[in-house]
Amino acid sequence: MNARLWGITLLLTGVQSVVAQKYDLLIKGGHVIDPASGIHTVMDVAISKGNIARVAVSITDSAEKVIIAKGMYVTPGFIDPHTHVFVGSNPGLFANGVNSVSPDDFTFRSGVTTVVDAGTSGWRSFPLFKKQVIDQSKTRILAFLNISGEGMTGAEHEQNLADMNADSTAAMMKKYPEIIAGVKIGHYNGKNWSPFETALAAAGKAERPLFVECHLPQYSLQDQLAKMRPGDMITHTFENISERMPIVDDDGKIRPFVLEAKKRGILFDLGHGGAGFWFDQARPAVKQGFYPNSFGTDLHRFSMNSGMKDMANVMSKFMALGLSLEQVIAIATWNPAKAIHHEELGNLKEGSVADLVIVRLREGTFGFIDSAQKSITGDQKLEVEMTLKQGKVVWDLNGLSAKK
């Protein structure tokens, strides 16, 4: 074959390749909100081989499946950085117990594609958690590793200083760096600061953030924040119970040391849970421009049946408090992705993993409840129409992807 014919053959082969190109899935006409890319407009999103292939105003290439999202919003999959999903048969426990929940049962229907388990397992029990839950679930499960070796197995074990080992915790984190996002300290009743310092040491050895839960009644809030490093996270931000000083003082003002901690780079997670969210804290805080960095729901057996409900409800609740749709999307997606050092998630950039949510914004009158059983009303509510995990439809409320 001469050079001219060879060139023509190559050209025709290229043309055939373009003509034959098909995306696996194409979402058309939805209003895309991707805080990581600054996108907030109507666009099409194409998916191929589990990744975002293209985001553009109009994509005319063919696809195996086309989903019409006109009148709805298309966002990255939501990330919940505070859950308890080490479900098992042990009664009355979170670690391998019935107080945790099976993630796939509750995540996708609320738009969540990634959860972080908040210290339900420790360095001793993490391998069982991985084998029993993480490896068996469709939901992407990451973990904060409890500084207590057995994790959340009740007061007797969680007060055991001898089972808190920075080297062992760091070693387990280094063994599974793609899964273990950081170290968690919580549920300690003593005055000894060694558990906190051990947790900090483990986080430092593995170069991961520290996740600080409440249930540390002998540590003052100010002292906890003072010991934390930029990028560390504290949860149950808007709680108002006796075990920890609330962030809002008696005059309705954010305490100065709380503002200073946030300015210094400490991240404040919501941690709604069953008792961790109070309107008398959140309402004045939001009015002063103090928002949570992430919407950790503290998903477990009890919280989902109380005021928390699910991620979409939490996001709608904060819209009722005054945040915009774009703000709550950022807090549910890109913010937590950065906080847990997984910036391949929480965005719709080309090449990123295709975790997406299609949501409808309902108009009407809706009620929202806090942990004190107080309520507020709002005129908008998010409803999850569809969730995609790695390009696959895993939740479809009204059959948008079904054959007609």
Side-chain angles (χ1 to χ4, degrees):
M1 183 181 294
N2 61 38
R4 182 170 179 273
L5 288 175
W6 176 250
I8 292 172
T9 299
L10 286 176
L11 178 62
L12 290 174
T13 301
V15 170
Q16 290 171 350
S17 175
V18 171
V19 171
Q21 181 182 8
K22 284 187 176 182
Y23 296 117
D24 297 329
L25 190 146
L26 179 60
I27 302 172
K28 291 195 65 68
H31 189 125
V32 175
I33 300 181
D34 180 21
S37 303
I39 298 175
H40 193 338
T41 190
V42 175
M43 301 190 85
D44 295 345
V45 180
I47 296 170
S48 182
K49 297 179 180 178
N51 294 322
I52 305 294
R54 191 180 174 203
V55 180
V57 172
S58 179
I59 299 175
T60 58
D61 299 311
S62 61
E64 293 291 334
K65 183 183 292 292
V66 177
I67 295 171
I68 305 301
K70 185 177 180 180
M72 292 172 276
Y73 293 89
V74 180
T75 82
F78 304 150
I79 300 172
D80 190 340
H82 186 164
T83 65
H84 296 285
V85 295
F86 186 4
V87 66
S89 59
N90 291 330
L93 293 182
F94 284 89
N96 194 24
V98 299
N99 290 350
S100 290
V101 298
S102 178
D104 293 352
D105 297 352
F106 306 101
T107 51
F108 299 141
R109 61 181 55 239
S110 62
V112 174
T113 52
T114 300
V115 301
V116 187
D117 182 272
T120 317
S121 68
W123 65 269
R124 291 186 188 277
S125 57
F126 178 79
L128 176 62
F129 176 36
K130 181 178 182 298
K131 177 182 178 181
Q132 184 168 292
V133 182
I134 296 176
D135 293 348
Q136 308 302 321
S137 302
K138 291 184 178 180
T139 306
R140 181 182 296 100
I141 304 173
L142 308 176
F144 290 115
L145 205 61
N146 202 311
I147 195 58
S148 176
E150 291 290 352
M152 294 175 64
T153 51
E156 179 181 353
H157 292 99
E158 291 176 84
Q159 310 305 310
N160 183 5
L161 300 182
D163 202 33
M164 301 177 187
N165 188 291
D167 289 336
S168 297
T169 301
M172 186 61 69
M173 294 168 71
K174 291 177 180 179
K175 185 176 181 179
Y176 298 104
E178 298 304 313
I179 302 175
I180 302 178
V183 182
K184 179 260 186 82
I185 173 70
H187 299 91
Y188 177 68
N189 299 325
K191 294 183 178 181
N192 189 328
W193 277 93
S194 65
F196 203 102
E197 291 162 355
T198 301
L200 272 171
K205 289 175 183 289
E207 299 182 335
R208 291 289 190 273
L210 177 68
F211 186 86
V212 179
E213 198 169 359
C214 62
H215 320 306
L216 300 165
Q218 300 303 316
Y219 300 164
S220 75
L221 175 61
Q222 187 167 4
D223 286 344
Q224 291 178 56
L225 293 173
K227 287 181 176 290
M228 295 169 69
R229 311 158 303 168
D232 289 342
M233 304 166 68
I234 190 165
T235 191
H236 298 309
T237 294
F238 303 108
E239 75 171 6
N240 190 2
I241 57 179
S242 60
E243 69 178 5
R244 196 186 74 186
M245 175 185 284
I247 66 167
V248 173
D249 65 21
D250 293 339
D251 295 323
K253 302 294 185 183
I254 301 290
R255 300 183 191 277
F257 68 83
V258 173
L259 293 173
E260 176 57 33
K262 190 167 189 179
K263 183 178 179 181
R264 191 163 56 85
I266 306 305
L267 304 179
F268 288 79
D269 176 60
L270 176 62
H272 192 304
F277 177 79
W278 296 59
F279 286 133
D280 65 10
Q281 295 292 300
R283 184 185 286 109
V286 168
K287 286 182 178 179
Q288 293 169 67
F290 189 99
Y291 314 142
N293 181 74
S294 51
F295 284 138
T297 66
D298 192 9
L299 174 69
H300 52 70
R301 184 183 183 187
F302 312 109
S303 66
M304 64 186 185
N305 291 316
S306 60
M308 188 275 286
K309 306 294 188 292
D310 59 27
M311 175 66 80
N313 189 274
V314 166
M315 295 165 69
S316 302
K317 189 176 299 187
F318 271 84
M319 292 175 66
L321 286 169
L323 272 64
S324 69
L325 176 61
E326 187 173 20
Q327 284 177 308
V328 299
I329 295 300
I331 294 170
T333 60
W334 188 229
N335 282 13
K338 292 184 292 182
I340 61 175
H341 300 180
H342 278 269
E343 296 181 21
E344 76 279 10
L345 305 175
N347 69 84
L348 300 180
K349 298 175 183 178
E350 293 182 9
S352 292
V353 61
D355 289 1
L356 298 92
V357 185
I358 300 176
V359 295
R360 191 183 299 276
L361 190 59
R362 295 289 187 188
E363 305 285 342
T365 301
F366 307 100
F368 304 99
I369 309 170
D370 73 356
S371 297
Q373 294 298 298
K374 300 291 181 63
S375 68
I376 62 171
T377 59
D379 57 12
Q380 295 180 316
K381 187 176 182 179
L382 291 171
E383 181 177 84
V384 176
E385 283 282 349
M386 179 178 291
T387 304
L388 291 89
K389 166 79 181 329
Q390 293 179 295
K392 303 294 184 183
V393 176
V394 290
W395 169 256
D396 188 350
L397 181 63
N398 288 302
L400 293 180
S401 66
K403 294 180 180 179
K404 303 298 189 284

